[in-house]
Amino acid sequence: MMSRGRFRAAALVLGALACAGCGGGHGQGGRSQVLRVPQSYRTIQAAVDATRRGDLVLIAPGVYHESVTVAAGHPDIVLRGLDRNRVLLDGQDRLGSGITVNADGVAVENLTVRHYLVNGVVWQPSDQYGSGQSLRGWRGSYITAYDNGLYGVYAFGAVHGRFDHVYGSGQPDSGVYIGNCNACHALVVDSMAEHNQVGYEATNASGDVSVLHNVWTHNRVGVEIDSLRKEPGFPQRGSMLTSNRIVDNNDRGAPRAEDGGFGAGVAINGGSGNQVADNLVSSHSEIGIVVLDSPDSAATNNTVQGNRLEANALDLALETANGLSQGNCFAGNQAPRGGPRSVPGRLQALTGRSCGHSVATGHNRLRLVPAPPQLDYRTVPAPPPQPNMPAAATAPAAPAVGNPEREAVG
Amino acid sequence: MRKRAGAMCALLICLLLAGCGAQQRQTRTSTTGARATDAQVLMLAQVLESDFRRGGAQFTANLQVDGQPARATGRVDFRSGRGTALVGPVDPSLGPPRRFFWTRTTVLAQASPGSRHYLREVPDEHGNPVHAMIGFINLLSAETIDNTANISAATPRLIGQTRIAGAPVDEFRYGRNGDITLWILTGSGLLRRIATTRASGGLTVDLINHDPIKIDLPRTARG
């Protein structure tokens, strides 16, 4: 017999379900629908396959052992969990990725993906290399991704999108990743990653990439911005990392990637025209912020300005192959005592208020840090419950159409 | 600090063959066979990680040196990145084989065939075909799984089933212009053979087994 408390809860849920998806229809020739899992569709995949433009797939609490693909023929839909911490897509360490989105305009909200062999949630066009077309419109909100074999949330070859309120932990690459886009028109905001090789990583992500108000902590490396010839979209230029809290990225309890570094807050690896401004960068065993040439390209015209630096073994560094500043600028960065620390005699970073006087070191002057031993990502402890999106049961579907990176973040 | 950036792009595509650089949008020619299923893509993504987990391998390789067919037999420790091989012309009348050792950063070449002394060489994967082979072998393992997203994007195709030394294998082809072919042992998913047409004259590596290997470097290296 159902207790009164449970009955009341069930009634509330039913009422909420009845309301979910009201308004905000994007359907062609009809209202958007709410496709309920498992009430109406036993699996998430079955519901996705039945969607039309503007529909909402609403997933009840439960554990789903699925690897879901949103094919290109199902654009402009929303996949939403009713409870971020109780809607669990679980790959059982044998399925590939949790959710793979190949369609334009798809939002994934308010659920957890864990224990997949590869990635948690991925946005990527279905034929990236053949067509050269980007996926247009993507959004990941209130997603928890942990203990997946490579990345937590991942947008590759996708433009006009955002991650907000995402949490990633226990990935041997990055918790949050954006790559291969130009111009990306991407926003990462109010998110957090810990216990990964890298908290936030962007490779060949160029043009209108804003990373704001996030927390990158207790990873092996906090933030990495790469320009790599071996991947599409080379070279990287023009992203902005502002007002983030980048703290204590020296976690030996995080799994590592091939050639993974350790003990750094921010690394710009060969990129150009990036801005690192007004962040708190603290407590790194090797270095706070470093700008260096990648094997493929010179780091040029990057600006590191107005950051607060605390308790890093080395606060700032610029390492270029030719020993010149290459237009990179360090200015107005604050440290509690005596200005930012840099390699004495070889490497100087400006503590003044203007750019243009940086002195760089030659290549390979920074010490190579042996990476602490590998750790099985499957053993990283599960994170604590994360905040749910507001009104998950009743909020209308809002597919990632238009410019999600410019819309108000709920 | 990280030594080099490490987004785990599809290693087979990107690291071995630079197949997803600026030219990746050229038309593919690997149109034979059936497009790999998701399960097969996942298996391909696990190939390099499986090599790493198994520890090492004995191998043979066929390559071209100075325009002549050459053959290498050796062992590699995927965990440490060390290896050794005896490399010589297929036609023995062209000269005796030389032994090489390597680490992730150095190649040690026998000073002369049969010598106990080794010369330290700076790796030159573009100019030295033996170094290119070593570089190729060093990339046949990875600590982490490869990214299925990138592999799928390179449209891998199952060419068919065949046998190598009596063992059933599945033959896959992908990469830019279909220039890399893998033969995967049916059932175990282990890499049995890999071939690329990108190296001058082509390069084929057979992994004979997958077991832990320990490589002791010679103590008489110079240079």
Side-chain angles (χ1 to χ4, degrees), chain A residues 219-309:
Chain A
N219 302 284
R220 289 188 176 225
V221 173
V223 172
E224 191 168 303
I225 297 170
D226 303 316
S227 184
L228 297 181
R229 184 181 298 277
K230 68 193 177 199
E231 298 197 17
F234 175 84
Q236 188 276 337
R237 61 172 68 88
S239 66
M240 187 169 67
L241 181 72
T242 303
S243 302
N244 297 275
R245 182 179 168 84
I246 304 164
V247 176
D248 201 10
N249 291 287
N250 321 282
D251 187 9
R252 292 173 176 270
R256 75 178 185 192
E258 207 85 6
D259 277 333
F262 188 80
V266 179
I268 293 180
N269 188 13
S272 295
N274 299 290
Q275 294 182 52
V276 180
D278 302 327
N279 302 284
L280 170 64
V281 183
S282 171
S283 305
H284 294 99
S285 61
E286 294 297 326
I287 197 161
I289 302 172
V290 60
V291 177
L292 72 168
D293 290 351
S294 78
D296 304 319
S297 67
T300 62
N301 301 313
N302 299 289
T303 300
V304 179
Q305 191 162 17
N307 299 284
R308 185 176 162 200
L309 302 155

Side-chain angles (χ1 to χ4, degrees), chain A residues 94-176:
Chain A
R94 61 180 181 80
L95 298 176
S97 291
I99 299 173
T100 302
V101 178
N102 297 141
D104 294 342
V106 175
V108 178
E109 303 170 338
N110 211 47
L111 47 76
T112 294
V113 284
R114 69 183 187 192
H115 296 299
Y116 284 88
L117 285 174
V118 194
N119 305 312
V121 184
V122 181
W123 283 259
Q124 182 184 32
S126 57
D127 195 9
Q128 174 69 30
Y129 289 79
S131 67
Q133 296 292 312
S134 295
L135 183 155
R136 195 185 195 289
W138 59 274
R139 179 167 59 81
S141 305
Y142 295 90
I143 295 172
T144 299
Y146 72 91
D147 294 4
N148 299 292
L150 211 49
Y151 297 98
V153 293
Y154 179 96
F156 187 82
V159 299
H160 288 288
R162 78 165 190 252
F163 290 124
D164 67 87
H165 303 91
V166 160
Y167 174 92
S169 71
Q171 272 81 217
D173 216 297
S174 64
V176 178

Side-chain angles (χ1 to χ4, degrees), chain A residues 206-222:
Chain A
S206 299
D208 191 19
V209 182
S210 298
V211 182
L212 310 173
H213 305 298
N214 304 285
V215 178
W216 315 113
T217 185
H218 296 106
N219 302 284
R220 289 188 176 225
V221 173

Side-chain angles (χ1 to χ4, degrees), chain A residues 117 119 124 129-130 132 150-151 154 173 201 224 226 229-232 256 258-259 261-262 269 368-369 374, chain B residues 1-9 14-15 20-21 24-25 28 46 142-145 147-150 153:
Chain A
L117 285 174
N119 305 312
Q124 182 184 32
Y129 289 79
L150 211 49
Y151 297 98
Y154 179 96
D173 216 297
E201 181 176 9
E224 191 168 303
D226 303 316
R229 184 181 298 277
K230 68 193 177 199
E231 298 197 17
R256 75 178 185 192
E258 207 85 6
D259 277 333
F262 188 80
N269 188 13
L368 294 177
V369 182
Q374 179 63 294
Chain B
M1 238 321 291
R2 198 165 195 175
K3 284 179 283 186
R4 60 179 67 89
M8 286 300 294
C9 179
C14 300
L15 295 183
C20 40
Q24 83 282 2
R25 286 169 185 164
R28 292 180 307 277
Q46 293 174 292
E143 276 192 34
T144 54
I145 194 169
N147 201 336
T148 50
N150 291 327

Side-chain angles (χ1 to χ4, degrees), chain B residues 16-210:
Chain B
L16 297 181
L17 301 172
C20 40
Q23 311 92 334
Q24 83 282 2
R25 286 169 185 164
Q26 293 181 358
T27 305
R28 292 180 307 277
T29 57
S30 56
T31 54
T32 58
R35 184 159 182 161
T37 65
D38 288 348
Q40 289 164 340
V41 168
L42 183 57
M43 184 186 66
L44 290 171
Q46 293 174 292
V47 163
L48 302 187
E49 186 189 28
S50 296
D51 283 349
F52 185 86
R53 288 181 186 276
R54 295 294 289 260
Q58 296 184 359
F59 68 88
T60 63
N62 291 292
L63 63 159
Q64 294 272 324
V65 178
D66 297 332
Q68 296 293 328
R71 184 171 175 81
T73 59
R75 299 176 296 139
V76 58
D77 176 0
F78 289 129
R79 298 288 179 90
S80 70
R82 292 181 174 187
T84 183
L86 197 61
V87 185
V90 171
D91 179 354
S93 69
L94 295 177
R98 286 172 74 195
R99 180 162 291 282
F100 292 80
F101 287 86
W102 63 86
T103 69
R104 294 192 204 280
T105 56
T106 303
V107 175
L108 304 175
Q110 202 169 28
S112 60
S115 171
R116 293 174 56 203
H117 296 285
Y118 287 80
L119 303 175
R120 199 176 300 275
E121 298 180 344
V122 177
D124 177 15
E125 295 185 19
H126 299 293
N128 185 321
V130 175
H131 290 198
M133 176 199 75
I134 290 169
F136 190 80
I137 290 170
N138 273 350
L139 290 171
L140 294 182
S141 75
E143 276 192 34
T144 54
I145 194 169
D146 215 334
N147 201 336
T148 50
N150 291 327
I151 293 176
S152 290
T155 57
R157 308 188 77 83
L158 174 63
I159 304 303
Q161 281 86 29
T162 184
R163 287 180 178 272
I164 296 177
V169 291
D170 298 321
E171 180 181 349
F172 293 92
R173 186 168 299 153
Y174 65 111
R176 183 155 68 97
N177 298 323
D179 46 17
I180 186 164
T181 308
L182 303 93
W183 289 261
I184 309 292
L185 287 165
T186 306
S188 70
L190 292 170
L191 180 64
R192 178 61 178 81
R193 175 181 292 168
I194 184 167
T196 174
T197 58
R198 286 290 292 273
S200 177
L203 173 63
T204 301
V205 177
D206 274 276
L207 300 185
I208 308 302
N209 62 4
H210 296 78

